[in-house]
């Protein structure tokens, strides 16, 4: 079997075996990294991060982070049960910590480990603003985005190997092979990996705003949060096509459009008034 045919066959087998159905969309997702593989690594990395950084405890802000995290978690459990996935979160080990850092950031690791930096609190301003951020980060964990990114990176590496083998078999010079590898790297990054990452951010926005609404937080605040994010960025964001995230304007528009749906979903759980 020719090398190109063999690579194509192997890639096809990997893709077929890598499919996992998302409970949020009902669609197949690229994921061949199991929770059993990923969660222990994530938990270890999270603990290491906390040991190397200043975790804020005992303050009003720290208590708010934990309180919001618990409310969001309960809402996620209710939402997933309604989607026919009552045991979806059984292996998650939820933890929410406020860390002293001036960066305007928050993040989640697979398995429900969330960090909020103190630097984002002037942007969130209120408990509801914080809930929009934590709902978004929790949604990344729920939607297996970490595993999907790892899977995509592995496929990117397989593609690079295919280019290397193919150009070598074709008898091209080392200089020509290097040119092909550079072209593949740029094309796969701009044409595949960055759009893949942006799609995750959009999906986390859409899932997170619904879960935050079910937890009793006003989904209209999500767009307001990103208006403040835009103001804080001072126009320094890169072009969307070269970014891992959608532009601020794109997110504001998407979240504004999604807020009525989030309220409708919350109403199914008896939540009709919001903080």
């Amino acid at each position: 079997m020719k090398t190109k045919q063999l690579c194509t066959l192997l890639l096809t087998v990997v893709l077929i075996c890598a499919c996992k159905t998302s409970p949020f969309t009902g669609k197949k997702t690229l994921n061949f990294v199991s929770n059993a593989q990923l969660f222990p690594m994530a938990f270890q990395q999270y603990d290491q991060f906390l040991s190397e950084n200043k975790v804020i405890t005992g303050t009003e802000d720290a208590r708010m982070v934990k309180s919001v995290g618990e409310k969001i978690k309960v809402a996620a459990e209710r939402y997933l049960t309604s989607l026919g996935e009552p045991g979806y979160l059984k292996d998650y080990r939820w933890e929410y910590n406020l860390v002293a850092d001036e960066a305007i950031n928050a993040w989640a690791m697979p398995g429900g480990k969330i960090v909020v930096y103190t630097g984002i609190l002037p942007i969130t301003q209120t408990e509801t603003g914080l809930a929009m951020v934590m709902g978004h980060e929790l949604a990344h964990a729920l939607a297996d985005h970490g595993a999907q990114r790892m899977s995509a990176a592995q496929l990117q590496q397989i593609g690079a190997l295919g280019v290397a083998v193919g150009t070598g078999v074709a008898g091209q010079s080392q200089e020509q092979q290097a040119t092909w590898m550079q072209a593949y790297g740029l094309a796969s990054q701009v044409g595949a990996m960055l759009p893949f990452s942006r799609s995750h951010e959009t999906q986390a926005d859409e899932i997170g705003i619904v879960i935050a609404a079910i937890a009793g937080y006003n989904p209209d605040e999500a767009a307001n949060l990103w208006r403040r994010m835009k103001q804080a960025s001072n126009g320094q964001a890169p072009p969307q096509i070269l970014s891992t995230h959608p532009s601020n304007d794109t997110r504001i528009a998407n979240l504004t459009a999604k807020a009525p749906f989030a309220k409708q979903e919350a109403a199914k759980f008896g939540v009709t008034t919001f903080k």
Side-chain angles (χ1 to χ4, degrees), residues 184-203:
Y184 168 78
L186 178 61
S188 64
Q189 189 69 11
V190 176
M193 299 300 286
L194 290 178
F196 192 57
S197 178
R198 290 195 296 271
S199 72
H200 282 174
E201 294 301 324
T202 297
Q203 186 179 60

Side-chain angles (χ1 to χ4, degrees), residues 115-205:
V115 161
V116 176
Y117 289 166
T118 53
I120 203 172
L121 296 181
I123 308 296
T124 59
Q125 293 186 355
T126 65
E127 181 179 337
T128 299
L130 178 63
M132 297 303 134
V133 169
M134 295 185 71
H136 171 90
E137 298 305 335
L138 176 141
H140 277 307
L142 298 181
D144 293 328
H145 287 164
Q148 291 178 38
R149 285 193 296 271
M150 289 180 65
S151 300
Q154 291 177 31
L155 286 183
Q156 187 183 36
Q157 292 172 0
I158 292 172
L161 177 61
V163 171
V165 171
T167 54
V169 169
Q172 297 192 0
S173 67
Q174 289 186 350
E175 183 177 310
Q176 290 172 318
Q177 290 182 49
T179 299
W180 275 106
M181 288 298 294
Q182 289 175 355
Y184 168 78
L186 178 61
S188 64
Q189 189 69 11
V190 176
M193 299 300 286
L194 290 178
F196 192 57
S197 178
R198 290 195 296 271
S199 72
H200 282 174
E201 294 301 324
T202 297
Q203 186 179 60
D205 280 346

Side-chain angles (χ1 to χ4, degrees), residues 45-95:
Q45 290 172 8
Y46 186 81
D47 289 342
Q48 181 177 348
F49 174 85
L50 294 183
S51 70
E52 296 171 353
N53 290 271
K54 183 179 179 180
V55 179
I56 307 297
T57 60
T59 67
E60 183 178 347
D61 286 339
R63 287 190 289 270
M64 180 171 63
V65 167
K66 292 187 182 298
S67 174
V68 171
E70 281 299 310
K71 291 175 184 177
I72 295 290
K73 181 198 77 170
V74 171
E77 291 171 342
R78 297 178 69 193
Y79 189 42
L80 282 160
T81 298
S82 76
L83 295 175
E85 296 283 353
Y88 191 86
L89 300 175
K90 63 182 179 63
D91 295 323
Y92 282 61
R93 300 292 179 266
W94 297 103
E95 192 171 350

Side-chain angles (χ1 to χ4, degrees), residues 212-253:
I214 295 171
Y217 296 104
N218 189 348
D220 292 329
E221 178 60 16
N224 293 330
L225 169 73
W226 279 100
R227 290 185 181 98
R228 296 194 293 272
M229 287 284 197
K230 178 182 178 180
Q231 185 176 12
S233 71
N234 294 317
Q236 298 302 309
Q240 180 170 280
I241 193 173
L242 299 178
S243 177
T244 57
H245 290 58
S247 70
N248 291 324
D249 288 337
T250 296
R251 298 183 89 157
I252 291 167

